């Protein structure tokens, strides 16, 4: 993170700044602070969206799904500017265009959410921990083997992404998979809601999503004939409380969401974890000394999610004229809810740019959202981050960043704050 004194865009008028600027995407802290102070519900003209930046306004919005629609905001965001062509590509080559069932509004959302909540009960997630620990331990061993001779490794591509893909594929029952292909699918989905792609990129990403959907449909057909103890089987054979099965389109949509969301944002969080440990060696020592303390580890993960949330912002749309944060909004206002800015709001979190496991309100962060759309897989993500941190710090005494922090590259998207490459050397423990 860059402080205001060294921020390369500090001093420019707010109306000259935009979240579409790659520099601001990479180093957003000052931009967030300026909006919270000067214009907390700020219209970004180049992006064409209202940015909601203060913690209290974000919570108010998220607790009012009737006024601020998830469904309409998400649909407006998707393949922005090229939606009809994108839809046609999926219908022609990808088995169909399937609206995202989880990004819907009540009462339909309520029906879908109840089904998904059954897959992520605390008991079920706890039962997964031994298997997930084994997967992550293997990933950490592979990383350290490569780093043993001082070789530079990519923390994102060689640890964060492979381990989260391996975990979600195990839960979904996908035994044979191509990790690089799943990573490309994840990037394609993120790009479609990131509002940064040009036409050629949209077409390329649409082709990747077609490949993903065709893969999912083949997996579904296999589970219809041969049910297994996995999440794909659960969804293919699931019934609602009124005894109805999910439709084909709903099942494709939900499996797609679980495969992608189940690895993409968690991988971002683990990449952020590695960057923070490389930047704060005292924190790495603190983590190692307390890794067997469950209370400490829980607090560490919550503070990580507050300090560096993987999701930057997600879309909403007003269903009526309203007022938020002193700003009058028309019906149909397209909004980006800036979770990362809310987590950095010093009216809620004292000294927000300090990483403190003793923060009294660390659990109030917005990384997983609030209200009916709170992340369904939050407990699983927490556990993966916890285990990934422990398994890494058991093996690596120090992580050394091989470029200046300001030279790190990030995925071009307004939706997440994802490090694209994280070159590190690792100092092994004796």
């Amino acid at each position: 993170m860059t402080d205001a004194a060294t921020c390369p865009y500090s001093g420019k008028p707010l109306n000259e700044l935009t979240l579409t600027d790659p520099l601001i995407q990479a180093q957003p802290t000052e931009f967030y602070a300026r909006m919270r102070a000067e214009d907390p519900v700020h219209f970004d003209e180049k992006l064409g969206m209202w940015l909601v930046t203060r913690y209290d306004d974000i919570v108010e919005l998220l607790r009012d799904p009737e006024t601020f629609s998830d469904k309409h905001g998400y649909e407006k965001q998707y393949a922005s500017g090229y939606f009809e062509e994108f839809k046609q590509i999926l219908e022609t080559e990808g088995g169909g265009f399937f609206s995202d069932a989880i990004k819907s509004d009540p009462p339909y959302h309520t029906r879908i959410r109840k089904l998904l909540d059954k897959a992520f009960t605390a008991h079920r997630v706890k039962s997964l921990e031994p298997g997930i620990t084994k997967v992550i331990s293997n990933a950490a061993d592979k990383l350290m083997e490569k780093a043993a001779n001082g070789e530079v490794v990519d923390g994102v591509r060689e640890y964060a992404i492979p381990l989260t893909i391996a975990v979600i594929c195990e839960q979904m029952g996908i035994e044979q998979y191509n990790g690089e292909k799943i990573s490309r699918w994840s990037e394609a989905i993120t790009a479609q809601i990131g509002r940064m792609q040009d036409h050629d990129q949209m077409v390329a990403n649409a082709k990747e999503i077609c490949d993903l959907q065709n893969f999912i449909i083949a997996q579904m057909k296999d589970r219809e004939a041969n049910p297994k103890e996995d999440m794909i089987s659960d969804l293919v054979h699931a019934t609602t409380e009124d005894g109805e099965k999910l439709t084909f389109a709903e099942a494709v949509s939900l499996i797609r969401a679980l495969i992608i969301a189940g690895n993409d944002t968690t991988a971002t969080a683990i990449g952020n974890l590695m960057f923070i440990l490389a930047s704060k060696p005292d924190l790495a020592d603190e983590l190692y000394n307390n890794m067997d303390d469950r209370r400490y580890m829980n607090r560490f993960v919550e503070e990580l999610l507050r300090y560096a949330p993987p999701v930057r912002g997600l879309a909403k749309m007003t269903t009526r004229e309203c007022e938020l944060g002193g700003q009058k909004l028309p019906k149909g206002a397209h909004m980006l809810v800036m979770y990362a800015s809310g987590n950095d709001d010093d009216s809620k979190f004292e000294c927000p740019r300090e990483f403190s496991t003793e923060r009294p309100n660390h659990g109030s962060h917005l990384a997983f959202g609030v209200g009916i759309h709170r992340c369904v897989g939050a407990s699983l993500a927490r556990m993966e981050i916890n285990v990934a941190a422990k398994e890494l710090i058991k093996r690596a005494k120090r992580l050394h960043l091989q470029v200046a922090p300001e030279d790190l590259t990030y995925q071009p998207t307004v939706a997440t704050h994802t490090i694209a490459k994280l070159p590190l050397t690792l100092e092994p423990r004796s």
Side-chain angles (χ1 to χ4, degrees):
M1 298 290 181
T2 303
D3 62 34
T6 60
C7 178
Y9 53 86
S10 182
K12 287 187 177 181
L14 183 58
N15 61 7
E16 293 182 11
L17 305 179
T18 172
L19 194 54
T20 63
D21 183 341
L23 177 61
I24 290 178
Q25 288 181 20
Q27 302 177 35
T29 305
E30 171 69 5
F31 183 49
Y32 298 160
R34 290 278 303 280
M35 287 189 289
R36 289 194 304 269
E38 299 174 26
D39 192 15
V41 181
H42 172 71
F43 188 69
D44 186 323
E45 290 192 13
K46 193 165 184 180
L47 186 61
M49 299 182 77
W50 295 90
L51 310 185
V52 185
T53 59
R54 286 183 182 168
Y55 183 95
D56 288 342
D57 294 335
I58 291 170
V59 171
E60 179 182 343
L61 179 155
L62 294 177
R63 294 199 183 281
D64 186 1
E66 290 186 6
T67 303
F68 303 99
S69 166
D70 219 52
K71 173 181 169 62
H72 296 302
Y74 188 77
E75 289 178 351
K76 175 74 172 177
Q77 190 84 334
Y78 215 73
S80 181
Y82 311 106
F83 178 74
E84 291 303 324
E85 184 178 357
F86 169 78
K87 182 178 178 181
Q88 184 61 46
I89 293 171
L90 265 64
E91 288 176 343
T92 303
E93 303 177 35
F97 173 76
F98 308 109
S99 297
D100 198 316
I102 197 63
K103 303 297 286 185
S104 57
D105 296 329
Y108 177 74
H109 173 268
T110 307
R111 167 178 172 265
I112 296 295
R113 181 66 187 234
K114 284 181 179 178
L115 280 172
L116 284 182
D117 283 341
K118 293 177 182 177
F120 292 99
T121 62
H123 175 75
R124 182 166 187 175
V125 170
K126 181 66 177 175
S127 72
L128 300 175
E129 187 167 354
I132 287 175
T133 299
K134 183 177 179 181
V135 168
I136 295 176
S137 177
N138 289 339
D141 284 342
K142 289 179 181 178
L143 183 74
M144 295 307 298
E145 285 173 13
K146 187 167 184 180
N149 298 317
E151 185 175 346
V152 176
V153 296
D154 184 342
V156 169
R157 297 285 172 182
E158 297 180 72
Y159 187 60
I161 289 176
L163 78 83
T164 53
I165 288 175
V167 167
I168 197 60
C169 285
E170 180 172 284
Q171 304 316 309
M172 302 300 286
I174 302 171
E175 296 176 358
Q176 300 294 325
Y177 65 88
N178 182 321
E180 291 185 6
K181 183 176 285 190
I182 293 176
S183 181
R184 291 201 308 271
W185 293 341
S186 298
E187 291 177 7
I189 291 285
T190 301
Q192 294 294 357
I193 61 171
R195 295 180 74 83
M196 294 297 293
Q197 61 183 354
D198 59 27
H199 178 265
D200 289 346
Q201 291 168 330
M202 181 280 294
V203 172
N205 288 326
K207 301 279 187 179
E208 291 287 355
I209 297 171
C210 288
D211 193 27
L212 165 62
Q213 291 188 173
N214 290 326
F215 173 81
I216 289 170
I217 291 167
Q219 292 284 322
M220 287 171 58
K221 289 180 178 177
D222 174 70
R223 300 309 193 283
E224 286 173 353
N226 305 291
K228 301 177 182 177
E229 292 294 325
D230 60 42
M231 286 188 179
I232 293 180
S233 295
D234 289 349
L235 290 171
V236 167
H237 297 279
T239 56
T240 62
E241 290 182 346
D242 55 13
E244 292 183 5
K245 288 189 66 174
L246 288 171
T247 66
F248 174 79
E250 288 170 341
V252 174
S253 167
L254 291 175
I255 293 167
R256 182 183 65 199
L258 289 174
I259 290 174
I260 301 305
N263 83 82
D264 187 59
T265 52
T266 307
T268 295
I270 294 170
N272 292 342
L273 161 74
M274 299 179 83
F275 169 63
I276 291 167
L277 293 179
S279 306
K280 301 177 182 293
D282 290 347
L283 181 61
D285 290 338
E286 180 184 302
L287 176 63
Y288 179 74
N289 291 332
N290 292 278
M291 66 181 177
D292 294 323
D293 182 338
R294 182 171 290 274
R295 177 184 178 276
Y296 173 87
M297 289 303 301
N298 290 341
R299 298 181 72 88
F300 178 90
V301 170
E302 296 308 311
E303 179 66 351
L304 172 69
L305 290 164
R306 185 206 64 81
Y307 185 87
V311 175
R312 184 201 306 277
L314 295 178
K316 301 280 186 180
M317 182 174 284
T318 55
T319 60
R320 60 177 180 82
E321 290 185 4
C322 60
E323 184 173 313
L324 182 69
Q327 176 66 55
K328 292 183 178 179
L329 297 166
K331 179 180 179 180
H334 197 201
M335 315 180 78
L336 195 67
V337 185
M338 305 299 293
Y339 299 96
S341 177
N343 277 1
D344 216 38
D345 190 336
D346 60 7
S347 71
K348 180 68 176 181
F349 302 104
E350 186 177 355
C351 301
R353 283 298 89 204
E354 291 182 8
F355 190 107
S356 173
T357 57
E358 294 304 314
R359 188 177 298 280
N361 62 342
H362 63 274
S364 299
H365 67 75
L366 299 169
F368 293 125
V370 171
I372 66 168
H373 288 288
R374 182 175 172 80
C375 176
V376 69
S379 56
L380 180 60
R382 284 185 170 101
M383 188 246 284
E384 285 185 62
I385 297 165
N386 189 317
V387 175
K390 287 166 68 171
E391 294 301 317
L392 177 64
I393 208 67
K394 280 181 187 177
R395 294 163 173 79
K397 183 177 181 179
R398 284 284 181 271
L399 288 73
H400 301 285
L401 189 62
Q402 296 303 296
V403 296
E406 60 269 22
D407 292 333
L408 285 174
T409 57
Y410 290 79
Q411 287 188 17
T413 171
V414 302
T416 65
H417 191 219
T418 303
I419 299 170
K421 295 180 180 178
L422 186 63
L424 299 165
T425 54
L426 306 178
E427 184 181 335
R429 294 192 182 276
S430 57

